């Protein structure tokens, strides 16, 4: 608190604070001062507090695990952040930022990620959101530091198997054999259906983003989706 005087204090996972810490924090927010450990004189502070939680605080309050008065003190300007799987367009810039951070942290040579690898990452649901994505990027960079090609581009083939398994596909070997038995027109329709389904899933159902990536006008993509019965 004292170090944050005149600045910002960020409290991550505030819902996990024990009762005694909640009471002390509430008193500090109300009085704008705190007592050092073992001290008897209040130390005035001017701090902006930002807190976050991956849990539903309202539910914790109902169960008696979090003080409602502290919650109302903290939630003056509440912000609800959607899960990462609902904003997959944020994944590429997040990946670029995490790569830069991790390379500096571990003194690794500068690397970039290829579009095929980005597609795999965008196909993930990321239940742990940005934190899970960052951890995966850090693990990836440590594992592939001696395998990356001279151009420093990480391709989908270099991704760990637990990530690569969710690569959008357009069919397995059986469906490929089936395609070979079809006339060109029918085979093209099967491929287009599977390809567009994979891309729509990749972009979280966002038709505009999908159209931009596949190189079609939005209206044309809508017509194609309708004609394929998607």
């Amino acid at each position: 608190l004292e170090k944050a005087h005149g600045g910002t204090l960020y409290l991550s996972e505030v819902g996990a604070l024990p009762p005694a810490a909640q009471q002390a924090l509430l008193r500090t927010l109300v009085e704008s001062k705190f007592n050092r450990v073992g001290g008897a004189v209040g130390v005035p502070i001017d701090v902006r507090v930002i807190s976050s939680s991956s849990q539903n605080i309202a539910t914790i309050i109902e169960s008696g695990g979090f003080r409602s008065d502290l919650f109302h003190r903290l939630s003056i300007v509440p912000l609800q952040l959607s899960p990462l799987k609902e904003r997959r367009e944020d994944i590429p810039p997040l990946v670029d930022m995490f790569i830069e951070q991790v390379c500096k942290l571990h003194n690794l040579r500068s690397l970039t990620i290829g579009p095929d690898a980005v597609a795999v990452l965008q196909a993930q649901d990321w239940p742990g959101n940005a934190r899970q994505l960052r951890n995966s990027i850090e693990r990836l960079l440590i594992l592939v530091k001696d395998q990356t090609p001279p151009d420093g581009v990480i391709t989908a083939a270099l991704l760990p198997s637990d990530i690569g398994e969710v690569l959008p596909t357009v069919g397995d070997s059986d469906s490929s054999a089936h395609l070979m038995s079809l006339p060109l027109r029918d085979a093209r329709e099967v491929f287009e259906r599977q390809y567009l389904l994979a891309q729509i899933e990749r972009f979280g159902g966002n038709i505009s983003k999908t159209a931009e990536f596949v190189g079609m006008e939005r209206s044309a993509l809508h017509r194609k989706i309708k004609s394929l019965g998607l």
Side-chain angles (χ1 to χ4, degrees):
L1 284 168
E2 197 163 1
K3 287 182 178 179
H5 177 66
T8 301
L9 177 66
Y10 174 57
L11 302 174
S12 177
E13 295 298 343
V14 70
L17 281 176
Q22 292 180 35
Q23 182 177 354
L25 177 60
L26 177 62
R27 186 185 308 115
T28 298
L29 295 176
V30 171
E31 300 177 356
S32 294
K33 62 181 180 180
F34 73 99
N35 291 346
R36 297 188 183 96
V37 176
V41 179
V43 179
I45 55 167
D46 178 15
V47 174
R48 174 176 55 190
V49 177
I50 298 176
S51 60
S52 67
S53 176
S54 59
Q55 305 176 69
N56 188 324
I57 297 294
T59 302
I60 303 177
I61 291 174
E62 290 178 1
S63 65
F66 198 83
R67 298 179 62 116
S68 60
D69 47 1
L70 175 58
F71 171 73
H72 293 303
R73 276 282 175 177
L74 291 172
S75 61
I76 296 174
V77 183
L79 297 174
Q80 184 73 32
L81 188 61
S82 301
L84 192 55
K85 67 179 181 180
E86 295 180 10
R87 45 190 177 91
R88 297 176 192 266
E89 67 276 7
D90 288 351
I91 291 177
L94 283 173
V95 168
D96 290 340
M97 180 181 70
F98 292 150
I99 287 178
E100 182 179 356
Q101 291 176 350
V102 173
C103 285
K104 288 181 179 178
L105 177 65
H106 295 286
N107 196 27
L108 302 173
R109 72 184 180 106
S110 181
L111 299 171
T112 58
I113 192 157
D116 58 339
V118 170
V120 176
L121 296 175
Q122 286 185 299
Q124 282 271 32
D125 282 341
W126 302 110
N129 296 299
R131 186 171 300 173
Q132 181 188 4
L133 176 61
R134 189 197 184 284
N135 290 343
S136 295
I137 292 299
E138 183 169 16
R139 175 165 61 99
L140 168 65
L141 294 180
I142 292 173
L143 291 175
V144 306
K145 63 180 180 179
D146 298 323
Q147 304 175 40
T148 49
D151 60 4
V153 177
I154 300 172
T155 62
L158 294 175
L159 295 177
S161 59
D162 59 321
I163 296 178
E165 287 173 355
V166 299
L167 176 65
T169 63
V170 291
D172 52 24
S173 57
D174 291 337
S175 61
S176 296
H178 174 62
L179 283 177
M180 295 299 294
S181 68
L182 297 175
L184 177 60
R185 181 175 179 177
D186 294 341
R188 183 187 295 119
E189 181 176 324
V190 171
F191 173 82
E192 286 181 341
R193 179 181 290 108
Q194 294 175 338
Y195 173 78
L196 289 177
L197 278 174
Q199 296 299 346
I200 291 170
E201 179 182 354
R202 171 188 176 185
F203 291 103
N206 189 314
I207 300 301
S208 296
K209 293 286 186 181
T210 304
E212 180 181 355
F213 178 80
V214 302
M216 297 178 67
E217 293 291 335
R218 191 173 186 274
S219 57
L221 179 57
H222 270 296
R223 289 194 297 271
K224 175 61 71 174
I225 290 173
K226 184 177 181 180
S227 69
L228 293 174
L230 299 179

